[in-house]
Amino acid sequence: MRVDLGCGQITWRGLSAESALADIARAGYAGAPWGGRNADSAADVVALHQKYGLAPAPSYFGGEFWDPSQREAHVAAARKYGEISRELGLSDVYVASSGFDQQTRAGRTRKQAAAHVSEEDKLTDEQFGELVRTLQVVGETLNEYGVRACFHNHVGTFVETEDEIERLLAAIDPEVLYLGPDTGHLAWAGVDPVAFTRRHANRIKTMHLKDMSAQVRDRGVAENWDYGTFEAHAIWAEIGEGAVDFPAIFEILDGAGFDGWLIVETDVTQKESPFESARVSRENLRKLGI
């Protein structure tokens, strides 16, 4: 497979964008995601990234896609992402449902239901149908720019569990909605990332590489922790220091002829700094030939 390896800036929350890019470059990555809704133009994105010797990597587009009143705004955002991505020479955009603070029929938010989701925590059939219709239009809009909408799963949202993800993928043409999965969020949600990658290898066009602690996950599920409590107990780990079987995932992607961006992320690190987190993950990936 051919890989462009990037690093996401989420570990640098609260710090400047420039300090994140400087650390990402120093840790040995080829690129970092561009600024999405905050980007004014492709030229500005290129100038900022080139300052640190980095290439722009695929950005991230989230929304309340189940709300019909927001469809027009989502399509307009898709046009901006498509236009700038095309100008940057990028073929993919991560697209994700939101829902963290949305009250569910169970009387709690999806963040509170993290990794122990009940049927009452899910969208109604009507809401799910609207989610499908909006993502269909978003995918078609991005296709107009030669850019693929790559769906991104996330714990604490309305597309977290295996059945929610598979239901969505079955409902939309794979040439309209591709995949940009997150390995750590799959594992945290109880989905086997290796089996998922094997099942959908040809639909995966980009991926977030994230590791997590199975011990923390199991304890949190048993004790009904919310999203923040999982993170406070160190659910996240650097690549190679958690439970995700990356060698098996890379073998599958290689067999499928993967050609695209892999983006390393550690949402919350236990290392001494974001740079050290990025460095450790980069070094462990080198040992795996990435």
Side-chain angles (χ1 to χ4, degrees), residues 198-216:
R198 183 177 296 111
R199 188 159 63 245
H200 296 295
N202 291 328
R203 200 166 181 172
I204 295 172
K205 303 304 177 185
T206 184
M207 180 181 276
H208 279 193
L209 305 181
K210 195 173 293 175
D211 216 340
M212 63 109 229
S213 167
Q215 293 80 8
V216 173

Side-chain angles (χ1 to χ4, degrees), residues 37-112:
R37 295 177 191 270
N38 298 321
D40 292 325
S41 70
D44 290 339
V45 171
V46 170
L48 177 60
H49 281 66
Q50 283 187 345
K51 182 177 179 180
Y52 299 97
L54 295 171
S59 191
Y60 182 102
F61 168 28
E64 297 179 354
F65 298 117
W66 64 88
D67 181 354
S69 71
Q70 298 189 41
R71 183 185 292 183
E72 186 175 333
H74 292 324
V75 172
R79 293 196 181 283
K80 177 179 179 180
Y81 277 83
E83 181 179 358
I84 294 181
S85 293
R86 182 175 63 185
E87 291 178 14
L88 293 172
L90 294 169
S91 57
D92 303 302
V93 170
Y94 289 94
V95 177
S97 169
S98 57
F100 290 104
D101 298 314
Q102 183 79 16
Q103 193 81 359
T104 73
R105 290 169 291 152
R108 59 183 180 176
T109 66
R110 282 300 292 250
K111 285 182 75 173
Q112 292 171 319

